[in-house]
Amino acid sequence: MKTIFKWLILLIELVVLSGLILNFLRTMKLIELPPDSAVAGQTNGASNEPIEYIPELPTPTLLPTKIIEPTKTPTKSTPIPTKKPVINSNDDPWGISKQIDDVTWTMKIGEDKTMATPGEILEALNQYRKVHNSQILTWDEKIGAFAQQRAQYLNGLKSVDKHTGFKNFLEKEDGFNKLRFSSLGENISFGYRLNGVHTIEWMYAGDKPHDDNQLNNKWDHVGIGVDGLATCLIFATGKF
């Protein structure tokens, strides 16, 4: 009986000693334990906010335009789905545009030997508009210069920017007055080496938002920028 009692006292002393050692290590930050309030199944520091998916470069992507008027408040975009989309899988058909989030399209398509110039894209665009009974667009130097800046930025980014730079220029940098137009729209792309006709009639015609924009009879002026594998088409009306 005395032996059992001695072992019991020894066991209690070991438990107390272990607790003291554990508290000392935690105080000295030699070990870290989860706080008492941690909930099973959660990871400390994780966020339950949606995670934006950024495709691996150089995945070609397209963006639809959003026409911005100086008197209108921009509409907030729909949150991007948290589930990662599959981009250009081997099973995707050639030449069919696929929407991968609320403002981005992609297409499996062949490449040409050389990249189109702004002049070649303008010629192909006006020919395409003529076939579809849309008025011919007139080149504007100021818009062309801004479109070239946008193309250079996108080529450096190696992606598209969901029109963020375009909208910031118009809304925060007095872009309407600088370009001298009351209404502007944009088509942009990155990752396609195409000639002028294929840029307009294959790529931008591949989905309805881009095609509607480039055929919109509202527009009467245009500026086009090309840099590397990036293109930027800016459409305008209401010159003042």
Side-chain angles (χ1 to χ4, degrees):
M1 187 68 176
K2 290 182 179 181
T3 302
I4 295 175
F5 183 71
K6 287 181 180 180
W7 279 109
L8 182 59
I9 292 175
L10 181 60
L11 180 60
I12 293 173
E13 290 176 345
L14 288 174
V15 171
V16 173
L17 182 60
S18 298
L20 292 174
I21 293 173
L22 184 59
N23 287 332
F24 174 77
L25 292 177
R26 292 181 62 179
T27 301
M28 298 300 294
K29 295 185 177 180
L30 297 177
I31 63 171
E32 289 188 16
L33 296 177
D36 296 336
S37 59
V39 180
Q42 291 186 342
T43 302
N44 293 335
S47 171
N48 60 0
E49 294 295 325
I51 300 173
E52 181 175 350
Y53 171 62
I54 301 176
E56 294 182 1
L57 301 179
T59 301
T61 55
L62 298 174
L63 294 182
T65 184
K66 289 185 179 179
I67 300 170
I68 302 174
E69 304 284 354
T71 57
K72 293 181 179 179
T73 302
T75 302
K76 291 183 178 180
S77 60
T78 305
I80 299 172
T82 56
K83 186 176 181 180
K84 291 185 178 181
V86 177
I87 301 176
N88 282 349
S89 70
N90 292 331
D91 297 330
D92 289 340
W94 283 76
I96 303 298
S97 185
K98 181 176 68 173
Q99 187 172 1
I100 61 174
D101 62 37
D102 61 321
V103 295
T104 308
W105 275 254
T106 186
M107 179 188 292
K108 182 186 291 185
I109 194 170
E111 290 190 334
D112 295 318
K113 292 182 179 180
T114 59
M115 186 70 174
T117 66
E120 291 169 347
I121 294 176
L122 175 62
E123 182 179 358
L125 173 63
N126 275 331
Q127 181 61 34
Y128 184 66
R129 287 173 64 89
K130 183 178 179 180
V131 170
H132 289 82
N133 299 315
S134 293
Q135 63 181 327
I136 300 302
L137 300 180
T138 301
W139 180 270
D140 182 85
E141 288 296 334
K142 287 185 178 180
I143 299 178
F146 178 58
Q148 185 62 32
Q149 291 176 11
R150 291 280 293 141
Q152 290 171 351
Y153 171 76
L154 297 174
N155 191 50
L157 191 64
K158 303 304 179 188
S159 183
V160 285
D161 66 350
K162 301 184 180 182
H163 302 292
T164 300
F166 175 69
K167 291 187 288 186
N168 285 342
F169 176 73
L170 298 184
E171 297 169 9
K172 300 178 181 179
E173 301 177 28
D174 197 28
F176 290 102
N177 286 325
K178 287 180 179 178
L179 297 179
R180 310 299 293 172
F181 283 91
S182 61
S183 183
L184 296 150
E186 180 185 66
N187 277 356
I188 56 177
S189 72
F190 175 78
Y192 300 89
R193 181 180 290 106
L194 300 172
N195 62 36
V197 173
H198 292 164
T199 296
I200 297 300
E201 299 188 18
W202 284 7
M203 183 179 66
Y204 282 129
D207 62 85
K208 183 173 172 57
H210 284 91
D211 199 35
D212 286 350
N213 201 38
Q214 68 178 359
L215 288 176
N216 194 336
N217 224 16
K218 170 184 178 179
W219 307 126
D220 50 27
H221 286 78
V222 70
I224 300 170
V226 177
D227 191 70
L229 296 182
T231 68
C232 175
L233 283 68
I234 296 179
F235 308 94
T237 192
K239 190 169 185 176
F240 59 88

